[in-house]
Amino acid sequence: MEIRDNLQIKTFAEYKKTYQKSIEEPEAFWKTVAEKFTWTKKWDKVLSADFKKPEVNWFQGATLNITQNCLDRHVKNHPNKNAIIWEPNDPNEESRHITYKQLQVKVCNFANVLKQNGIEKGDRVCIYMPMIPELAIAMLACARIGAIHSIVFAGFSSKAVASRINDSGCKMLITANDYYRGRKSIKLKEICDEALENTPSIETVIVYRRTVNPTSMKEGRDKFWFDELQKAYAECDPVEVEAEHPLFILYTSGSTGKPKGMVHTTGGYMVGTTYTFQNTFQLNEKDIYWCTADIGWITGHSYIIYGPLCAGATTVMFEGVPSYPDFDRFWEIIEKFKITHFYTAPTAIRSLAKQNVKHVEKHNLESLKVLGSVGEPINEEAWHWFNDNVGKTKCPIVDTWWQTETGSIMISPLAGVTATRPTFATLPLPGVQPAIMDDERNEIEFDGKVAEGKLTIKAPWPAIARTIWNNHQRYKETYFSAYPGYYFSGDGAYRDAVGNYRITGRVDDVVIVSGHNLGTAPIENAINEHEKVSESAIVGFPHDVKGNALYAYVILYDHNDATNSLKQEIRDMVSKNIGAIAKPQKIQFVTELPKTRSGKIMRRILRKIAANQTENMGDTSTLLNPDVVEEIQKKKV
Ligand code: 7RM
C-alpha cells in the first residue's frame, strides 16, 4: 500500500460508485483493498460475522505482520523518506527526523529487547510513555513479535495504570523516567513505582531516560532502555500472526464502572485504518501530516501510527501542548515543518480561538491543504474560526466521526472530493452503513426526508473492536443489545434530506424527569443558543417528586454576566425550544467544565457534585483540568 494508489477516490461520482459497490458486495470490495497489503498467507474467507452473537472475523485464515506493511515495505520503496518527524516540548531542543529505514532498525532492535526479557507472541505489554518516538518504537516492536500492547495515556494516575495492567495481566511495563509537558514536570517513573506495588504480573520494567535526572531503579526488575539495546541485535524477523490475532488493547471509560479494554485485531484494523486514512485525508507523496492527538488515545493509534505508516506517509509527533511557550505553538510548528494536513480536536480549536488572532497571523500557514477535526461535535463558531483563520477558506475541513470501538473513521468528508458542511460529519466512508433508529427501536430508512434518532451501524467493517478483554458479555450488552443485529454507538444523530449526518452528542446521558426521557444534548444545544453562553453541561440529580431534576452548568463568554435574570432567560430559552419539562431546576455559572484531554465533558463528576455525593469522586487524573472540580464544588448552588 502506498500513499497514492488506485484506491484513492478522486471524484464525487467515484465516491458514489465505490460506496454502492462496498454495500452491495462488501467481500469483493474489501478483498480488492486488502490485496494492496503484504500478507504472508492470503485469507480463506474475507468476512464472516454475526452481530447477533456477536462475532466478527475478517480475513480468516490469513497471516501477516503489520510492521512489514508499515516498515519493511516502505524501506524497500523509499528507505530515506521520513517516517516520523518529532517536535519536543521545548522549542529549543532539537527536533528529530526518523526515516523508514532508521525506524525499522530501531523497532527491530527494541523487539529483541522484548524477546531477551521473555516477551512472546500473545503476551501483554503495558506502555506508559510521553509523546516521544520511543513510544512509537515500543508499540511497533510489540507488533513485530506478536505481543499485544496496552498503551496507557501518560496523564493517567498510578491507580489507573495499575488497574489497566491487572485487567489484562501485562508482563512488562515500558515507561520513561520523567518529562516536561508545557512547564509542568511529570515524574513518570515515580508514578509507576506506586502502581507497581499492586501489579503482580509485571516481571520487567524498561525505563527510557527522557531527562538526565536521577531515577530510582529496582534491582532485578527495572532496566534502562539504552543498556538493554546494547545487548540486542538490530535484526528481527517479523513474527507471522493470524489476521484475528490481537494487535492491541486500549481502555476506554464507560459511563459507569471500570474501563473497558477494547481489543483490536491485526488484519482488519490494518486494512481499515489505512484505507480510511488515505481516502479521508487524500495525501500526496511529499505531504507532511500532523495529528495533534496523544498516542494514548485511539486517534493516536490509528492516525498517528498505524494508518499513516502503513500508507507510507510522513507523520509528525508533538510532545508538548498548544499553549507552550505561547499560544502560537501549533502555528509555529505548521510553519516549521510545512505541514500540509493538520488534524486536531474542537476543544483545542476553541481554546486557541479565544486567544488573540495575532498568534495565528504571525505565522506563514500557506503549506496547509487539509484540516481535520475529531473527538466531539464541532460547533459552528469554532468551525468558521478554523476555516477562516487557519485554512484561510482554502482548506477543506474533514469532520471525522468515529470511536475507540470503531477503530477507524466512519463518517467524514473525503478532503476535496466530497462536500463539507459546517457541524456535519457528512457521509459514511465506503463499507460503513450507518442507520438512525427511532424511539420504537426501528430503523428510519433514508427516504429523502430529514431524520433524527440514535446512531447505529448495521454491518461489520474491518476495524471494529472484536471484544472487551476478558468480558465478551459486556461487549455484547454495551454495543449489541439495544438494537439486535446492529452496533449501537451511544451517539445521537441527525440526517439531512440528502443523507449528511450530524452527530448531536452522546445519548447515554439520558435523564428521566417525571417519567419523561430527556436527552441532555438537545437541552445543552438550546442553552448554547443564548448569545451570552459559550458552553454548557446538563446532568440529572435525585428529586423527591420528579425522580430526577436537571442541573445546568453554564460557561459564559463574560463571567460578569452571571446574574439571576440571565438564569431566567436561559430557562425561558429551554422552555421555548424544548418544553417546560426540560427547564433546569438549578443553574450554576462556572468558568470551566471538567474535561478529558480529548475534549469530552466528564458528566460523571458533574452528576456527583449535583447529587452532593462528593466523598468519592473516583479517578479524576484523566482530566485536563482536575483543579476545576473543587472550584465547581465550592460554588455549588
Ligand atoms: C475518535 C474518538 C468517541 C465519541 C463518539 C462521539 C464523539 C468523536 C466526533 C464526535 C461529533 C465528531 N474516539 N465524537 N468524533 N462527535 N463529531 N467528529 O474520539 O472513543 O474517544 O470517543 O466521541 O460522541 O461516540 S473516542
Side-chain angles (χ1 to χ4, degrees):
M1 181 69 93
E2 287 299 323
I3 286 253
R4 290 194 61 160
D5 55 30
N6 56 13
L7 289 178
Q8 227 178 32
I9 295 167
K10 287 291 163 197
T11 62
F12 185 68
E14 210 186 311
Y15 162 76
K16 278 291 196 203
K17 212 176 103 204
T18 309
Y19 184 78
Q20 210 51 39
K21 157 117 187 171
S22 77
I23 297 314
E24 281 160 13
E25 298 169 65
E27 292 198 60
F29 171 75
W30 287 111
K31 175 172 175 282
T32 314
V33 177
E35 275 168 352
K36 294 281 173 180
F37 293 80
T38 303
W39 304 81
T40 24
K41 181 171 167 282
K42 288 276 175 73
W43 47 90
D44 303 319
K45 179 122 183 65
V46 173
L47 170 65
S48 65
D50 181 355
F51 272 180
K52 293 219 163 83
K53 278 185 179 165
E55 186 190 294
V56 179
N57 292 290
W58 283 91
F59 310 114
Q60 223 165 26
T63 60
L64 74 155
N65 186 289
I66 195 169
T67 68
Q68 268 192 304
N69 287 274
C70 51
L71 298 172
D72 306 34
R73 191 178 175 108
H74 306 307
V75 169
K76 223 183 285 159
N77 298 336
H78 43 78
N80 301 322
K81 178 172 179 171
N82 284 323
I84 295 177
I85 299 178
W86 175 74
E87 171 73 5
N89 180 61
D90 178 353
N92 298 318
E93 190 181 337
E94 221 175 320
S95 55
R96 290 166 66 184
H97 289 64
I98 303 172
T99 66
Y100 272 95
K101 178 69 209 164
Q102 291 166 334
L103 185 60
Q104 183 201 43
V105 171
K106 285 172 189 292
V107 167
C108 290
N109 197 350
F110 193 73
N112 287 320
V113 170
L114 299 178
K115 284 202 272 187
Q116 76 201 13
N117 282 285
I119 300 299
E120 290 172 4
K121 180 182 171 197
D123 286 344
R124 276 79 61 208
V125 173
C126 179
I127 305 178
Y128 182 58
M129 290 181 107
M131 282 285 285
I132 53 178
E134 284 66 28
L135 165 54
I137 292 163
M139 69 198 281
L140 293 169
C142 288
R144 188 76 174 177
I145 62 167
I148 304 167
H149 58 73
S150 167
I151 302 182
V152 178
F153 171 58
F156 281 171
S157 67
S158 63
K159 263 199 201 149
V161 189
S163 74
R164 284 158 176 78
I165 286 174
N166 292 335
D167 184 72
S168 50
C170 297
K171 270 173 80 172
M172 178 186 272
L173 170 62
I174 306 173
T175 188
N177 59 341
D178 54 35
Y179 71 103
Y180 286 87
R181 203 161 179 273
R183 288 181 180 83
K184 213 166 122 195
S185 146
I186 294 139
K187 306 241 177 303
L188 213 54
K189 179 61 167 55
E190 283 178 20
I191 301 173
C192 287
D193 285 340
E194 252 179 72
L196 286 160
E197 283 170 23
N198 299 304
T199 54
S201 59
I202 295 286
E203 294 167 6
T204 316
V205 180
I206 306 284
V207 182
Y208 180 81
R209 268 191 206 270
R210 175 68 186 99
T211 69
V212 295
N213 299 341
T215 304
S216 82
M217 299 288 278
K218 185 170 165 183
E219 183 73 43
R221 183 193 70 186
D222 302 352
K223 304 174 180 180
F224 280 117
W225 176 290
F226 278 111
D227 297 346
E228 287 303 294
L229 274 189
Q230 305 311 315
K231 297 183 238 161
Y233 287 112
E235 287 96 46
C236 175
D237 285 339
V239 168
E240 193 176 327
V241 305
E242 307 74 44
E244 286 295 343
H245 180 66
L247 175 63
F248 64 86
I249 303 169
L250 182 60
Y251 287 86
T252 179
S253 48
S255 38
T256 51
K258 64 174 200 165
K260 303 177 286 232
M262 304 312 305
V263 178
H264 282 283
T265 60
T266 311
Y269 178 82
M270 170 181 78
V271 171
T273 53
T274 311
Y275 180 77
T276 53
F277 172 75
Q278 282 187 310
N279 277 290
T280 305
F281 294 101
Q282 299 279 322
L283 258 75
N284 285 320
E285 275 94 354
K286 296 221 155 67
D287 286 341
I288 310 285
Y289 163 90
W290 180 23
C291 166
T292 68
D294 193 286
I295 290 177
W297 311 122
I298 191 68
T299 307
H301 281 64
S302 300
Y303 297 108
I304 297 178
I305 300 299
Y306 288 113
L309 293 181
C310 282
T314 298
T315 182
V316 173
M317 254 179 102
F318 175 42
E319 186 185 26
V321 294
S323 55
Y324 178 79
D326 206 346
F327 283 100
D328 67 338
R329 189 68 190 279
F330 274 7
W331 323 127
E332 181 185 276
I333 295 172
I334 291 174
E335 182 173 13
K336 178 173 180 182
F337 298 122
K338 300 197 169 55
I339 306 283
T340 55
H341 292 66
F342 179 61
Y343 188 29
T344 193
T347 179
I349 298 169
R350 282 196 299 266
S351 80
L352 293 171
K354 273 194 194 159
Q355 312 304 320
N356 194 319
V357 74
K358 287 206 176 93
H359 285 303
V360 192
E361 287 167 350
K362 217 161 83 187
H363 295 281
N364 179 351
L365 305 183
E366 268 166 36
S367 56
L368 285 175
K369 294 197 268 195
V370 173
L371 303 177
S373 168
V374 61
E376 51 170 330
I378 180 164
N379 51 308
E380 192 121 16
E381 257 175 295
W383 196 96
H384 284 293
W385 185 88
F386 200 31
N387 186 47
D388 296 350
N389 296 291
V390 182
K392 320 286 181 199
T393 71
K394 283 184 307 213
C395 304
I397 298 177
V398 291
D399 178 353
T400 63
W401 176 80
W402 59 294
Q403 309 175 296
T404 304
E405 295 85 342
T406 70
S408 61
I409 295 171
M410 302 292 278
I411 305 180
S412 171
L414 309 184
V417 174
T418 67
T420 63
R421 178 172 176 194
T423 77
F424 281 73
T426 73
L427 300 171
L429 275 276
V432 176
Q433 297 189 52
I436 293 194
M437 315 305 275
D438 67 16
D439 289 342
E440 275 73 56
R441 299 180 184 275
N442 297 316
E443 182 179 339
I444 311 175
E445 305 250 2
F446 181 66
D447 60 354
K449 288 202 210 74
V450 304
E452 190 162 0
K454 310 276 157 65
L455 180 61
T456 62
I457 312 287
K458 59 175 166 179
W461 61 99
I464 184 177
R466 303 296 196 261
T467 189
I468 292 174
W469 185 264
N470 266 341
N471 203 342
H472 198 65
Q473 186 57 29
R474 187 172 179 199
Y475 175 74
K476 178 175 180 164
E477 281 161 13
T478 312
Y479 306 108
F480 298 95
S481 300
Y483 305 94
Y486 293 76
Y487 165 86
F488 176 42
S489 68
D491 282 337
Y494 167 90
R495 188 172 56 208
D496 73 9
V498 292
N500 286 310
Y501 288 85
R502 175 186 184 192
I503 312 304
T504 52
R506 300 292 304 181
V507 291
D508 35 17
D509 295 298
V510 170
V511 185
I512 304 181
V513 180
S514 306
H516 298 268
N517 278 19
L518 297 176
T520 53
I523 307 174
E524 289 163 5
N525 289 342
I527 294 178
N528 296 351
E529 268 181 38
H530 194 290
E531 58 182 15
K532 290 184 177 159
V533 173
S534 120
E535 209 174 343
S536 63
I538 296 272
V539 297
F541 70 98
H543 187 278
D544 292 349
V545 180
K546 302 174 180 172
N548 290 292
L550 299 175
Y551 194 114
Y553 299 87
V554 178
I555 305 181
L556 301 176
Y557 285 109
D558 182 351
H559 202 67
N560 294 320
D561 288 331
T563 59
N564 281 334
S565 69
L566 181 56
K567 287 189 182 177
Q568 197 48 48
E569 284 174 36
I570 288 173
R571 288 198 176 93
D572 291 346
M573 193 117 196
V574 174
S575 244
K576 203 176 92 211
N577 279 291
I578 297 168
I581 180 76
K583 273 201 288 196
Q585 169 122 1
K586 293 188 178 177
I587 298 178
Q588 179 179 357
F589 294 116
V590 296
T591 53
E592 260 186 279
L593 290 165
K595 283 193 177 175
T596 66
R597 285 176 206 264
S598 49
K600 297 183 215 326
I601 299 170
M602 263 221 205
R603 287 192 173 69
R604 169 174 67 84
I605 289 170
L606 296 174
R607 271 194 294 269
K608 288 205 163 165
I609 297 177
N612 286 321
Q613 293 169 350
T614 49
E615 313 81 53
N616 177 18
M617 282 301 220
D619 186 4
T620 55
S621 66
T622 65
L623 288 174
L624 180 68
N625 46 359
D627 301 340
V628 73
V629 177
E630 211 183 294
E631 189 203 307
I632 297 177
Q633 237 174 300
K634 262 195 254 158
K635 305 205 176 120
K636 183 178 180 288
V637 294

